[in-house]
C-alpha cells in the first residue's frame, strides 16, 4: 500500500513539475527536440502545450514544412541558439527571441508564451531571416543619439 501511494505521489508531482515549465525551459526543450528529432516533431511537441492549436492544423502543417526547409542543403549545419531578447508584456505574456545559428546565415526564432491560469502555453511561434535589416535600423538609430 505504501509503495502504491509513493508511485501515485511521484506521478502527481511529475505532472505538476511538467506543467510548471517556464517559457525559457519550453524553448530549450524545443531546441533539444529540434536538434535530435527534427523540426516537425519539435513543432508538434511545442504546440502540444496549447489545446486550441488542434484547430489550426493547416497553419501548423505549413509552418512545419517551411521550418523543415531550413535543412543542411539550404542553410548548412545547425550550431545552436542564443537568446536575443525577452520581453514581458505582463506577468502572463512573454516573448522570447533567439538567434539560431546555421552555416549560411542566422535565423530568428520567436516564441510567444501565455499563462492563462497556472500553466504556460505556446501562443505563437514564427521564424524569419530579417535580422540583418533589424540591426542596420538599430545602427541608424544609434547615430541619432
Amino acid at each position: 500500500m505504501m509503495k502504491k501511494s509513493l508511485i501515485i505521489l511521484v506521478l502527481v508531482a511529475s505532472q505538476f513539475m511538467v506543467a510548471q515549465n517556464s517559457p525559457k525551459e519550453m524553448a530549450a526543450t524545443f531546441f533539444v527536440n529540434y536538434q535530435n528529432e527534427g523540426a516537425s516533431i519539435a513543432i508538434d511537441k511545442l504546440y502540444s502545450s496549447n489545446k486550441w492549436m488542434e484547430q489550426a492544423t493547416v497553419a501548423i502543417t505549413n509552418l512545419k514544412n517551411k521550418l523543415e526547409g531550413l535543412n543542411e542543403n539550404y542553410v548548412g549545419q545547425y550550431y545552436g541558439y542564443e537568446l536575443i531578447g525577452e520581453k514581458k508584456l505582463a506577468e502572463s505574456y512573454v516573448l522570447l527571441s533567439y538567434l539560431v545559428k546555421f552555416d549560411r546565415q542566422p535565423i530568428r526564432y520567436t516564441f510567444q508564451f501565455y499563462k492563462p491560469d497556472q500553466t504556460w502555453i505556446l501562443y505563437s511561434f514564427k521564424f524569419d531571416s530579417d535580422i540583418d535589416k533589424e540591426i542596420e535600423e538599430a545602427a541608424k538609430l544609434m547615430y541619432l543619439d
Side-chain angles (χ1 to χ4, degrees), residues 10 41 50 66 71 78-80 99-101 117 122 136-137:
V10 168
I41 292 173
N50 188 339
K66 289 177 183 175
N71 56 41
Y78 166 77
Y79 290 107
L99 176 88
V100 182
K101 302 184 299 183
D117 189 23
L122 179 75
E136 287 172 8
E137 289 300 316

Side-chain angles (χ1 to χ4, degrees), residues 6-20:
L6 183 60
I7 291 172
I8 291 172
L9 180 63
V10 168
L11 289 174
V12 170
S14 68
Q15 287 297 323
F16 180 74
M17 288 169 38
V18 168
Q20 295 303 309

